[in-house]
């Protein structure tokens, strides 16, 4: 199979900064689409992969799975897209398509493992891993390419492909409507999207915060209430209130204080933490006496992601972003670790092409 060399930003080792690299993309196959990348969001997963925080990173690694751009070329069997279309690519670029999960449009739970947009097992080049969106272009099977509503700001829409779908999927799975009461733990890239999307669905939305400093920001994003989780009286005031809590905190923390704020059959969904609760055991008492649940959720399938993008187009929902040049990515990573961004960095990929 022929390949094309393009520019990208990636790293050769966990301890190295990201730098300019040359990578190879496959030639367009019959069901493929080649995309000229305009913008790429910056996700915590990018940093964790680049630095091998979760283990398993194969180098060189090129992150980026919040991709928006325009179609440059389509394969001979492509039916969904044409040259010039606005498109997007999220966290997956392939799956087995035949297992029970894939047949239910839940490719993120593919029983044979989905192919990640970066650091995934490339079915065409077994000896290498997939390279992500910190690059000039990408070639993706049309099944995993999404239509981007034309009214959305392209840069601000990029984080919808991960932060958006990660919070949209539990909102839809747990049937959030205008009659629902939803709480969000953590106001960052995921949390601010959870507030916007839950409010877009008509829910009454509350932010849990450890300090009062985020109250104004939360309400500007659409939150109806802010509850200071360290204030005992405020926590008592929301006893038995919430149908759904979306917990976006990416590090170990104590979820027990939130459990009593769930109503009967309420659910707390973890979307931020990947790992163990080593020092904070979850008490079963509030679960047993009110049939409450603790659950997890992972991005969303392709059908669900397209539904989310269409909904955002109807409601004009996008992320709050700060646009950077690719040459500033290492500084952006350090700022992201300090939560010094409101609320997502997005790379203008012209900076790489120029």
């Amino acid at each position: 199979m022929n390949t094309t060399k393009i520019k990208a930003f990636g790293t050769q080792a966990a301890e190295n900064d990201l730098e300019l690299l040359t990578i190879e993309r496959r030639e367009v196959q019959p069901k493929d689409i080649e995309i000229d990348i305009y913008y790429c969001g910056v996700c915590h997963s990018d940093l964790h992969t680049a630095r091998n925080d979760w283990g398993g990173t194969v180098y060189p690694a090129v992150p980026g799975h919040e991709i928006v751009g325009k179609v440059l070329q389509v394969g001979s069997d492509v039916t969904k897209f044409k040259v010039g279309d606005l498109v997007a690519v999220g966290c997956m670029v392939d799956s087995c398509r035949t297992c029970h999960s894939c047949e239910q449009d839940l490719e993120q739970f593919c029983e044979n493992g989905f192919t990640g947009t970066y650091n995934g097992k490339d079915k065409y080049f077994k000896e290498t891993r997939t390279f992500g969106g910190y690059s000039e272009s990408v070639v993706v099977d049309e099944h995993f390419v999404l239509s981007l509503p034309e009214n959305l700001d392209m840069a601000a829409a990029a984080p919808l492909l991960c932060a958006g779908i990660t919070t949209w999927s539990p909102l839809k799975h747990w049937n959030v409507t205008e009659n629902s009461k939803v709480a969000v733990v953590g106001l960052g890239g995921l949390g601010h999207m959870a507030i916007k999307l839950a409010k877009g669905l008509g829910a009454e939305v509350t932010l849990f915060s450890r300090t009062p400093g985020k109250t104004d920001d939360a309400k500007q994003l659409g939150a109806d209430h802010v509850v200071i989780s360290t204030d005992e009286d405020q926590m008592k005031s929301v006893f038995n209130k919430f149908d759904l809590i979306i917990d976006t905190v990416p590090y170990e923390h104590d979820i027990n204080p939130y459990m009593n704020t769930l109503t009967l059959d309420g659910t707390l969904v973890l979307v931020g933490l990947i790992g163990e609760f080593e020092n904070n055991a979850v008490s079963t008492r509030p679960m047993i006496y009110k049939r409450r649940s603790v659950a997890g959720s992972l991005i969303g399938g392709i059908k669900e992601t397209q539904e989310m993008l269409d909904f955002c187009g109807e409601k004009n929902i996008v992320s709050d972003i700060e646009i950077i040049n690719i040459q500033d990515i290492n500084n952006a990573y350090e700022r992201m670790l300090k939560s010094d961004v409101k609320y997502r960095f997005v790379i203008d990929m012209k900076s790489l092409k120029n």
Side-chain angles (χ1 to χ4, degrees), residues 132-177:
Y134 295 7
S135 55
E136 293 180 278
S137 61
V138 65
V139 177
V140 181
D141 186 289
E142 74 166 334
H143 179 80
F144 289 84
V145 178
L146 300 141
S147 295
L148 188 69
E150 293 186 358
N151 63 298
L152 294 181
D153 178 276
M154 290 184 71
L160 298 177
L161 280 304
C162 180
I165 188 57
T166 296
T167 49
W168 172 263
S169 188
L171 289 170
K172 294 301 288 184
H173 180 74
W174 276 275
N175 300 313
V176 168
T177 68

Side-chain angles (χ1 to χ4, degrees), residues 1-10 21-29 32-37 40 60-65 67 72-73 89 93 115-120 122 124-125 128-141 349 352:
M1 181 182 296
N2 294 328
T3 61
T4 301
K5 292 182 178 181
I6 64 168
K7 290 190 289 186
F9 246 67
L21 302 175
T22 298
I23 63 171
E24 293 186 55
R25 296 291 193 197
R26 69 174 182 265
E27 63 181 353
V28 171
Q29 301 302 296
D32 279 345
I33 292 172
E34 183 182 11
I35 301 166
D36 184 13
I37 301 175
C40 185
V62 175
H65 59 200
I67 300 167
L72 278 175
Q73 185 183 172
V89 176
V93 292
T115 301
T117 304
Y118 58 82
N119 204 48
D122 194 309
Y124 291 98
F125 304 105
T128 64
R129 293 294 180 105
T130 53
F131 295 128
Y134 295 7
S135 55
E136 293 180 278
S137 61
V138 65
V139 177
V140 181
D141 186 289
M349 298 311 300
L352 173 63

Side-chain angles (χ1 to χ4, degrees), residues 271-329:
V271 298
L273 175 65
I274 299 178
E276 306 291 332
F277 278 116
E278 295 179 357
N279 301 309
N280 289 288
V282 179
S283 172
T284 61
R285 186 179 300 275
M287 300 169 69
I288 288 171
Y289 285 103
K290 288 289 184 178
R291 205 162 58 193
R292 298 167 173 132
S293 302
V294 176
S297 185
L298 176 72
I299 53 173
I302 297 302
K303 180 180 178 182
E304 188 174 47
T305 305
Q306 187 63 64
E307 291 171 351
M308 179 269 303
L309 288 173
D310 294 342
F311 176 83
C312 289
E314 293 170 10
K315 300 287 186 176
N316 199 28
I317 294 173
V318 291
S319 297
D320 286 19
I321 65 168
E322 178 180 334
I323 297 178
I324 62 169
N325 291 328
I326 190 66
Q327 293 81 8
D328 298 321
I329 188 62

Side-chain angles (χ1 to χ4, degrees), residues 246-268:
I246 298 182
D247 187 327
T248 70
V249 176
Y251 49 79
E252 185 183 357
H253 57 288
D254 187 4
I255 67 171
N256 288 295
Y258 305 112
M259 295 305 296
N260 280 323
T261 71
L262 288 168
T263 190
L264 176 67
D265 289 326
T267 303
L268 183 149

